[in-house]
Short mmCIF file of all heavy atoms in Angstrom, two decimals:
data_model
loop_
_atom_site.label_atom_id
_atom_site.label_comp_id
_atom_site.label_asym_id
_atom_site.label_seq_id
_atom_site.Cartn_x
_atom_site.Cartn_y
_atom_site.Cartn_z
N GLU A 19 9.19 8.41 -11.47
CA GLU A 19 8.09 9.34 -11.53
C GLU A 19 6.76 8.72 -11.13
O GLU A 19 5.96 9.28 -10.48
CB GLU A 19 8.08 10.04 -12.84
CG GLU A 19 6.89 11.05 -13.02
CD GLU A 19 6.87 11.55 -14.34
OE1 GLU A 19 7.83 11.53 -15.14
OE2 GLU A 19 5.82 12.14 -14.78
N GLN A 20 6.51 7.50 -11.80
CA GLN A 20 5.30 6.82 -11.50
C GLN A 20 5.21 6.34 -10.11
O GLN A 20 4.16 6.33 -9.50
CB GLN A 20 5.14 5.55 -12.50
CG GLN A 20 4.99 6.05 -13.97
CD GLN A 20 3.85 6.98 -14.11
OE1 GLN A 20 2.70 6.71 -13.81
NE2 GLN A 20 4.16 8.20 -14.72
N SER A 21 6.28 5.96 -9.38
CA SER A 21 6.37 5.59 -8.10
C SER A 21 5.97 6.74 -7.17
O SER A 21 5.11 6.56 -6.30
CB SER A 21 7.77 5.04 -7.77
OG SER A 21 8.15 3.98 -8.45
N ALA A 22 6.43 7.91 -7.51
CA ALA A 22 6.08 9.10 -6.76
C ALA A 22 4.65 9.49 -6.93
O ALA A 22 3.87 9.79 -5.96
CB ALA A 22 7.03 10.35 -7.14
N LEU A 23 4.08 9.40 -8.14
CA LEU A 23 2.74 9.68 -8.43
C LEU A 23 1.74 8.66 -7.61
O LEU A 23 0.73 9.07 -7.09
CB LEU A 23 2.48 9.69 -9.87
CG LEU A 23 3.04 10.84 -10.69
CD1 LEU A 23 2.79 10.53 -12.16
CD2 LEU A 23 2.35 12.18 -10.25
N TRP A 24 2.13 7.44 -7.63
CA TRP A 24 1.37 6.41 -6.91
C TRP A 24 1.40 6.72 -5.50
O TRP A 24 0.31 6.58 -4.76
CB TRP A 24 1.94 5.07 -7.32
CG TRP A 24 1.10 3.84 -6.90
CD1 TRP A 24 -0.23 3.89 -6.57
CD2 TRP A 24 1.55 2.50 -6.85
NE1 TRP A 24 -0.67 2.66 -6.22
CE2 TRP A 24 0.36 1.78 -6.49
CE3 TRP A 24 2.67 1.87 -7.04
CZ2 TRP A 24 0.37 0.41 -6.22
CZ3 TRP A 24 2.74 0.45 -6.84
CH2 TRP A 24 1.50 -0.26 -6.42
N ALA A 25 2.59 7.01 -4.90
CA ALA A 25 2.59 7.36 -3.49
C ALA A 25 1.65 8.54 -3.18
O ALA A 25 0.95 8.53 -2.14
CB ALA A 25 3.95 7.65 -3.14
N LYS A 26 1.73 9.63 -4.01
CA LYS A 26 0.79 10.73 -3.75
C LYS A 26 -0.57 10.21 -3.73
O LYS A 26 -1.51 10.79 -2.96
CB LYS A 26 1.12 11.83 -4.84
CG LYS A 26 2.34 12.61 -4.69
CD LYS A 26 2.43 13.55 -5.76
CE LYS A 26 3.82 14.16 -5.97
NZ LYS A 26 4.20 15.21 -5.12
N GLN A 27 -0.94 9.47 -4.69
CA GLN A 27 -2.38 9.05 -4.79
C GLN A 27 -2.77 8.19 -3.50
O GLN A 27 -3.84 8.37 -3.05
CB GLN A 27 -2.55 8.11 -6.08
CG GLN A 27 -3.84 7.47 -6.23
CD GLN A 27 -3.95 6.52 -7.43
OE1 GLN A 27 -2.97 6.09 -7.81
NE2 GLN A 27 -5.10 6.29 -7.80
N ILE A 28 -1.89 7.37 -3.11
CA ILE A 28 -2.16 6.53 -1.89
C ILE A 28 -2.37 7.39 -0.70
O ILE A 28 -3.08 7.08 0.20
CB ILE A 28 -1.10 5.46 -1.80
CG1 ILE A 28 -1.19 4.40 -2.83
CG2 ILE A 28 -1.11 4.76 -0.34
CD1 ILE A 28 -2.48 3.57 -2.89
N LEU A 29 -1.55 8.40 -0.63
CA LEU A 29 -1.55 9.26 0.58
C LEU A 29 -2.62 10.40 0.51
O LEU A 29 -2.74 11.20 1.51
CB LEU A 29 -0.12 9.82 0.81
CG LEU A 29 0.97 8.94 1.12
CD1 LEU A 29 2.28 9.55 1.13
CD2 LEU A 29 0.60 8.17 2.47
N ALA A 30 -3.36 10.56 -0.58
CA ALA A 30 -4.23 11.66 -0.82
C ALA A 30 -5.40 11.69 0.18
O ALA A 30 -5.81 12.77 0.59
CB ALA A 30 -4.84 11.60 -2.22
N GLU A 31 -5.82 10.58 0.73
CA GLU A 31 -6.81 10.52 1.68
C GLU A 31 -6.27 10.36 3.06
O GLU A 31 -5.81 9.26 3.45
CB GLU A 31 -7.84 9.42 1.42
CG GLU A 31 -9.06 9.45 2.16
CD GLU A 31 -10.07 8.36 1.74
OE1 GLU A 31 -10.21 8.14 0.56
OE2 GLU A 31 -10.63 7.82 2.65
N PRO A 32 -6.20 11.41 3.86
CA PRO A 32 -5.52 11.31 5.24
C PRO A 32 -6.15 10.45 6.16
O PRO A 32 -5.40 10.06 7.15
CB PRO A 32 -5.50 12.76 5.66
CG PRO A 32 -6.56 13.51 4.89
CD PRO A 32 -6.75 12.68 3.64
N SER A 33 -7.38 10.09 5.99
CA SER A 33 -8.05 9.26 7.04
C SER A 33 -7.74 7.75 6.91
O SER A 33 -8.10 6.96 7.85
CB SER A 33 -9.54 9.52 6.99
OG SER A 33 -10.02 9.02 5.69
N ARG A 34 -7.10 7.32 5.77
CA ARG A 34 -6.79 6.00 5.64
C ARG A 34 -5.68 5.45 6.61
O ARG A 34 -4.76 6.16 6.85
CB ARG A 34 -6.31 5.63 4.25
CG ARG A 34 -7.43 5.49 3.17
CD ARG A 34 -6.86 5.07 1.90
NE ARG A 34 -7.84 4.83 0.97
CZ ARG A 34 -7.70 4.54 -0.27
NH1 ARG A 34 -6.42 4.43 -0.74
NH2 ARG A 34 -8.74 4.25 -1.04
N SER A 35 -5.72 4.28 7.04
CA SER A 35 -4.64 3.73 7.90
C SER A 35 -3.58 3.12 7.00
O SER A 35 -3.78 2.96 5.77
CB SER A 35 -5.32 2.58 8.77
OG SER A 35 -5.63 1.43 8.00
N THR A 36 -2.52 2.73 7.65
CA THR A 36 -1.40 2.13 6.86
C THR A 36 -1.82 0.81 6.28
O THR A 36 -1.62 0.59 5.12
CB THR A 36 -0.16 1.86 7.79
OG1 THR A 36 0.26 3.23 8.31
CG2 THR A 36 0.89 1.19 7.11
N ASP A 37 -2.61 0.05 6.96
CA ASP A 37 -3.02 -1.20 6.47
C ASP A 37 -4.01 -1.02 5.20
O ASP A 37 -3.95 -1.67 4.25
CB ASP A 37 -3.80 -2.07 7.46
CG ASP A 37 -2.77 -2.75 8.44
OD1 ASP A 37 -1.59 -2.82 8.09
OD2 ASP A 37 -3.26 -3.14 9.54
N GLU A 38 -4.92 0.03 5.28
CA GLU A 38 -5.76 0.29 4.21
C GLU A 38 -4.92 0.76 2.94
O GLU A 38 -5.30 0.34 1.86
CB GLU A 38 -6.78 1.39 4.61
CG GLU A 38 -7.72 0.93 5.56
CD GLU A 38 -8.64 2.05 6.07
OE1 GLU A 38 -8.16 3.14 6.25
OE2 GLU A 38 -9.80 1.76 6.34
N ARG A 39 -3.95 1.47 3.19
CA ARG A 39 -3.01 1.90 2.10
C ARG A 39 -2.29 0.67 1.50
O ARG A 39 -2.13 0.62 0.26
CB ARG A 39 -2.09 3.05 2.60
CG ARG A 39 -2.64 4.32 2.84
CD ARG A 39 -1.63 5.38 3.16
NE ARG A 39 -2.27 6.60 3.38
CZ ARG A 39 -2.65 7.15 4.63
NH1 ARG A 39 -2.28 6.43 5.67
NH2 ARG A 39 -3.22 8.23 4.67
N LEU A 40 -1.80 -0.13 2.28
CA LEU A 40 -1.12 -1.35 1.79
C LEU A 40 -2.09 -2.27 1.01
O LEU A 40 -1.70 -2.66 -0.03
CB LEU A 40 -0.46 -2.08 2.91
CG LEU A 40 0.70 -1.45 3.65
CD1 LEU A 40 1.15 -2.28 4.86
CD2 LEU A 40 1.88 -1.34 2.58
N ASP A 41 -3.28 -2.43 1.55
CA ASP A 41 -4.32 -3.21 0.78
C ASP A 41 -4.51 -2.56 -0.53
O ASP A 41 -4.57 -3.35 -1.57
CB ASP A 41 -5.62 -3.17 1.54
CG ASP A 41 -5.55 -4.07 2.82
OD1 ASP A 41 -4.59 -4.87 3.05
OD2 ASP A 41 -6.52 -3.97 3.59
N GLN A 42 -4.72 -1.26 -0.66
CA GLN A 42 -4.95 -0.63 -1.89
C GLN A 42 -3.74 -0.78 -2.84
O GLN A 42 -3.96 -1.07 -4.05
CB GLN A 42 -5.21 0.96 -1.74
CG GLN A 42 -5.58 1.60 -3.00
CD GLN A 42 -6.79 1.04 -3.74
OE1 GLN A 42 -7.66 0.71 -3.05
NE2 GLN A 42 -6.75 0.96 -5.01
N MET A 43 -2.49 -0.72 -2.44
CA MET A 43 -1.35 -0.80 -3.26
C MET A 43 -1.27 -2.32 -3.75
O MET A 43 -1.03 -2.49 -4.99
CB MET A 43 -0.10 -0.45 -2.52
CG MET A 43 0.04 1.03 -2.25
SD MET A 43 1.58 1.47 -1.46
CE MET A 43 2.55 1.74 -2.91
N TYR A 44 -1.43 -3.29 -2.89
CA TYR A 44 -1.47 -4.66 -3.35
C TYR A 44 -2.54 -4.95 -4.35
O TYR A 44 -2.31 -5.71 -5.32
CB TYR A 44 -1.50 -5.57 -2.17
CG TYR A 44 -0.08 -5.81 -1.71
CD1 TYR A 44 0.65 -4.90 -0.93
CD2 TYR A 44 0.68 -7.08 -1.97
CE1 TYR A 44 1.95 -5.20 -0.46
CE2 TYR A 44 1.90 -7.32 -1.53
CZ TYR A 44 2.54 -6.39 -0.78
OH TYR A 44 3.88 -6.64 -0.39
N ARG A 45 -3.73 -4.47 -4.07
CA ARG A 45 -4.87 -4.66 -4.98
C ARG A 45 -4.54 -4.12 -6.35
O ARG A 45 -4.78 -4.67 -7.39
CB ARG A 45 -6.12 -4.04 -4.43
CG ARG A 45 -6.99 -5.02 -3.57
CD ARG A 45 -8.39 -4.63 -3.42
NE ARG A 45 -8.46 -3.26 -2.78
CZ ARG A 45 -8.54 -3.01 -1.47
NH1 ARG A 45 -8.55 -4.04 -0.70
NH2 ARG A 45 -8.67 -1.80 -1.08
N THR A 46 -4.00 -2.98 -6.37
CA THR A 46 -3.70 -2.26 -7.65
C THR A 46 -2.53 -2.92 -8.39
O THR A 46 -2.61 -3.20 -9.59
CB THR A 46 -3.23 -0.82 -7.39
OG1 THR A 46 -4.26 -0.12 -6.71
CG2 THR A 46 -2.83 -0.04 -8.67
N ALA A 47 -1.46 -3.32 -7.67
CA ALA A 47 -0.35 -3.94 -8.33
C ALA A 47 -0.56 -5.38 -8.66
O ALA A 47 -0.19 -5.90 -9.72
CB ALA A 47 0.91 -3.88 -7.38
N TYR A 48 -1.14 -6.17 -7.76
CA TYR A 48 -1.18 -7.63 -7.87
C TYR A 48 -2.62 -8.18 -7.99
O TYR A 48 -2.74 -9.36 -7.98
CB TYR A 48 -0.46 -8.28 -6.79
CG TYR A 48 0.97 -7.73 -6.65
CD1 TYR A 48 1.34 -7.42 -5.29
CD2 TYR A 48 1.76 -7.56 -7.61
CE1 TYR A 48 2.74 -6.84 -5.16
CE2 TYR A 48 3.08 -7.05 -7.44
CZ TYR A 48 3.49 -6.68 -6.15
OH TYR A 48 4.81 -6.28 -6.01
N ALA A 49 -3.64 -7.38 -7.78
CA ALA A 49 -5.00 -7.84 -7.86
C ALA A 49 -5.35 -8.78 -6.65
O ALA A 49 -6.08 -9.72 -6.86
CB ALA A 49 -5.38 -8.43 -9.25
N ARG A 50 -4.65 -8.54 -5.57
CA ARG A 50 -5.00 -9.31 -4.39
C ARG A 50 -4.48 -8.50 -3.14
O ARG A 50 -3.82 -7.48 -3.40
CB ARG A 50 -4.19 -10.60 -4.44
CG ARG A 50 -2.64 -10.47 -4.39
CD ARG A 50 -1.92 -11.76 -4.31
NE ARG A 50 -0.45 -11.52 -4.26
CZ ARG A 50 0.17 -11.17 -3.27
NH1 ARG A 50 -0.29 -11.00 -2.09
NH2 ARG A 50 1.63 -11.07 -3.29
N LEU A 51 -4.88 -8.99 -1.91
CA LEU A 51 -4.44 -8.36 -0.72
C LEU A 51 -3.14 -9.00 -0.28
O LEU A 51 -2.74 -10.10 -0.64
CB LEU A 51 -5.49 -8.60 0.37
CG LEU A 51 -6.82 -7.87 0.17
CD1 LEU A 51 -7.84 -8.28 1.25
CD2 LEU A 51 -6.69 -6.32 0.05
N PRO A 52 -2.32 -8.17 0.50
CA PRO A 52 -1.15 -8.79 1.04
C PRO A 52 -1.41 -9.76 2.06
O PRO A 52 -2.34 -9.60 2.86
CB PRO A 52 -0.40 -7.56 1.59
CG PRO A 52 -1.36 -6.55 1.96
CD PRO A 52 -2.47 -6.85 0.91
N ASP A 53 -0.63 -10.87 2.19
CA ASP A 53 -0.75 -11.70 3.27
C ASP A 53 -0.04 -11.14 4.51
O ASP A 53 0.50 -10.03 4.41
CB ASP A 53 -0.24 -13.12 2.94
CG ASP A 53 1.34 -13.22 2.74
OD1 ASP A 53 2.08 -12.42 3.20
OD2 ASP A 53 1.73 -14.08 1.86
N GLU A 54 -0.08 -11.77 5.67
CA GLU A 54 0.30 -11.18 6.94
C GLU A 54 1.86 -10.86 6.85
O GLU A 54 2.37 -10.00 7.34
CB GLU A 54 -0.07 -12.00 8.13
CG GLU A 54 -1.47 -11.92 8.44
CD GLU A 54 -1.99 -10.45 8.50
OE1 GLU A 54 -1.39 -9.73 9.31
OE2 GLU A 54 -3.04 -10.17 7.92
N GLN A 55 2.64 -11.90 6.21
CA GLN A 55 4.03 -11.68 6.09
C GLN A 55 4.44 -10.56 5.17
O GLN A 55 5.29 -9.78 5.52
CB GLN A 55 4.65 -13.01 5.56
CG GLN A 55 6.15 -13.11 5.57
CD GLN A 55 6.73 -14.42 5.04
OE1 GLN A 55 5.96 -15.24 4.54
NE2 GLN A 55 7.96 -14.45 5.18
N GLU A 56 3.66 -10.48 4.11
CA GLU A 56 3.94 -9.34 3.21
C GLU A 56 3.52 -7.97 3.92
O GLU A 56 4.30 -7.00 3.71
CB GLU A 56 3.13 -9.50 1.94
CG GLU A 56 3.57 -10.54 1.07
CD GLU A 56 2.67 -10.95 -0.08
OE1 GLU A 56 1.31 -10.79 0.11
OE2 GLU A 56 3.14 -11.24 -1.24
N ARG A 57 2.50 -7.95 4.69
CA ARG A 57 2.08 -6.72 5.39
C ARG A 57 3.19 -6.34 6.36
O ARG A 57 3.53 -5.17 6.50
CB ARG A 57 0.75 -6.96 6.01
CG ARG A 57 0.26 -5.62 6.64
CD ARG A 57 -1.13 -5.95 7.29
NE ARG A 57 -2.13 -6.57 6.45
CZ ARG A 57 -2.87 -5.97 5.54
NH1 ARG A 57 -2.66 -4.67 5.41
NH2 ARG A 57 -3.72 -6.63 4.85
N ALA A 58 3.62 -7.28 7.09
CA ALA A 58 4.67 -6.99 8.10
C ALA A 58 5.95 -6.60 7.43
O ALA A 58 6.61 -5.63 7.94
CB ALA A 58 4.98 -8.33 8.97
N ALA A 59 6.30 -7.19 6.29
CA ALA A 59 7.53 -6.79 5.64
C ALA A 59 7.36 -5.33 5.02
O ALA A 59 8.35 -4.54 5.07
CB ALA A 59 7.87 -7.77 4.50
N ALA A 60 6.17 -5.09 4.49
CA ALA A 60 6.00 -3.67 3.92
C ALA A 60 6.05 -2.71 4.99
O ALA A 60 6.59 -1.58 4.91
CB ALA A 60 4.72 -3.70 3.14
N THR A 61 5.42 -2.94 6.15
CA THR A 61 5.45 -2.01 7.31
C THR A 61 6.85 -1.75 7.81
O THR A 61 7.20 -0.63 8.00
CB THR A 61 4.54 -2.54 8.39
OG1 THR A 61 3.18 -2.65 7.82
CG2 THR A 61 4.49 -1.49 9.54
N ALA A 62 7.55 -2.82 7.96
CA ALA A 62 9.05 -2.76 8.35
C ALA A 62 9.79 -1.92 7.30
O ALA A 62 10.59 -1.05 7.70
CB ALA A 62 9.58 -4.14 8.49
N PHE A 63 9.55 -2.06 6.07
CA PHE A 63 10.20 -1.43 5.00
C PHE A 63 9.97 0.14 5.08
O PHE A 63 10.78 1.00 5.06
CB PHE A 63 9.79 -1.92 3.66
CG PHE A 63 10.38 -1.16 2.40
CD1 PHE A 63 11.68 -1.58 2.05
CD2 PHE A 63 9.72 -0.20 1.82
CE1 PHE A 63 12.26 -0.88 0.92
CE2 PHE A 63 10.23 0.44 0.76
CZ PHE A 63 11.52 0.17 0.29
N LEU A 64 8.61 0.34 5.29
CA LEU A 64 8.18 1.85 5.45
C LEU A 64 8.86 2.46 6.68
O LEU A 64 9.35 3.59 6.63
CB LEU A 64 6.69 1.90 5.63
CG LEU A 64 5.90 1.63 4.34
CD1 LEU A 64 4.46 1.47 4.62
CD2 LEU A 64 6.09 2.86 3.39
N GLU A 65 8.98 1.66 7.86
CA GLU A 65 9.62 2.17 8.99
C GLU A 65 11.07 2.47 8.71
O GLU A 65 11.63 3.57 9.04
CB GLU A 65 9.55 1.26 10.14
CG GLU A 65 8.11 1.09 10.71
CD GLU A 65 7.91 -0.05 11.62
OE1 GLU A 65 8.89 -0.87 11.81
OE2 GLU A 65 6.83 -0.20 12.16
#
């Protein structure tokens, strides 16, 4: 349920890019930005 709520929150602003959403999720979860490898893996996972 929390995962679904977090996704809704991340998607609430339609003008954000995928990278901006990933940055927000990593900042929220880990207090840092994703590195390039993590960003590529997360994008591949989403695909």
Side-chain angles (χ1 to χ4, degrees):
E19 179 183 343
Q20 294 305 304
S21 298
L23 290 172
W24 193 15
K26 285 179 198 277
Q27 179 187 18
I28 290 297
L29 296 172
E31 190 175 319
S33 64
R34 280 187 173 174
S35 69
T36 297
D37 283 342
E38 289 171 327
R39 288 186 179 97
L40 290 173
D41 287 350
Q42 182 62 39
M43 290 183 89
Y44 271 77
R45 271 196 302 267
T46 301
Y48 309 132
R50 65 173 180 81
L51 294 174
D53 63 29
E54 289 308 311
Q55 185 178 12
E56 290 169 325
R57 186 181 307 281
T61 302
F63 180 83
L64 287 167
E65 290 169 354

